[in-house]
Amino acid sequence: MASIAMLVFGGNAHAEGGSYNVDDASVVGAGKCQLESWLREWSHGSNGLYAVPACGAGPVEFGVTLNTGHGVYGPGVNPSIKWQLRNGDDKGIGVAVATAATWIHGRQDDAQAYVATTFGIDDARRLMVALNAGVDRIHGESTHSLLGLGMDVALTTRWTLLVERMWTHRTITDQGGIRLAFGESSLDLVVGSERSPHPSHWINLGWNAAF
């Protein structure tokens, strides 16, 4: 899970997960939960703390992004629902549909709906690709297209390299980083940038856990 709706929080909201914007086609799983969290520091000096708890019921995942947004936007709340249509976690192509909406200071600011697909390039699935396609509607504006491409490369059994690009209205967001997995948890170190009328740069330190 990697919330596309995070785009409205200044990096700007899940194959990436954590603070990555491009979503994969996986869900938490029936009766299971997870927590993705990260601290973001922007180049202009402000910072934000994010937490994304999510739980599964059959092929459906229910989640919510909570954001302090120190100095940028927030605080914000971003509920989301993802329904896995085809399980591609171990082989083949995974497909899911998802929707999310963002409230900032009690007002709906943004909403998205998209299709997420995930597939492996090689038989060992060491190189995974995630594609997102959908629509994004910002409060007071018309609806625009939303496109995302993410890739992750398993360097070892514990270390993974992740890169992504997200296209939305007047904005291109790039992120890349390294992930260290241990047990049911992982740590992320991510750097990102946004090309828009108000460009920005940031670094994320994240922790993800399943339970």
Side-chain angles (χ1 to χ4, degrees), residues 170-202:
R170 297 184 299 175
T171 302
I172 298 176
T173 305
D174 294 308
Q175 289 197 125
I178 194 79
R179 173 171 294 163
L180 171 62
F182 51 97
E184 294 295 315
S185 300
S186 64
L187 295 175
D188 284 333
L189 181 62
V190 183
V191 294
S193 66
E194 177 182 280
R195 282 182 280 173
S196 69
H198 304 285
S200 59
H201 305 271
W202 59 85

Side-chain angles (χ1 to χ4, degrees), residues 14-15 23-27 82 84 86-89 94-96 116-118:
H14 288 355
D23 202 352
D24 61 18
S26 299
V27 293
K82 180 163 64 169
Q84 187 182 65
R86 189 178 191 279
N87 190 333
D89 293 349
V95 181
T117 62
T118 311

Side-chain angles (χ1 to χ4, degrees), residues 69-153:
H70 294 166
V72 178
Y73 302 102
V77 178
N78 164 229
S80 60
I81 300 175
K82 180 163 64 169
W83 179 20
Q84 187 182 65
L85 303 178
R86 189 178 191 279
N87 190 333
D89 293 349
D90 299 317
K91 62 179 180 179
I93 300 175
V95 181
V97 292
T99 184
T102 302
W103 275 264
I104 298 177
H105 299 302
R107 187 197 73 175
Q108 184 175 344
D109 188 77
D110 186 81
Q112 307 87 25
Y114 59 92
V115 177
T117 62
T118 311
F119 55 90
I121 296 298
D122 59 322
D123 291 340
R125 298 170 72 86
R126 294 176 61 88
L127 173 57
M128 298 294 296
V129 176
L131 299 174
N132 294 171
V135 292
D136 178 50
R137 183 178 179 84
I138 300 174
H139 180 76
E141 298 186 13
S142 59
T143 301
H144 304 282
S145 62
L146 177 153
L147 298 171
L149 168 64
M151 294 185 290
D152 63 82
V153 183

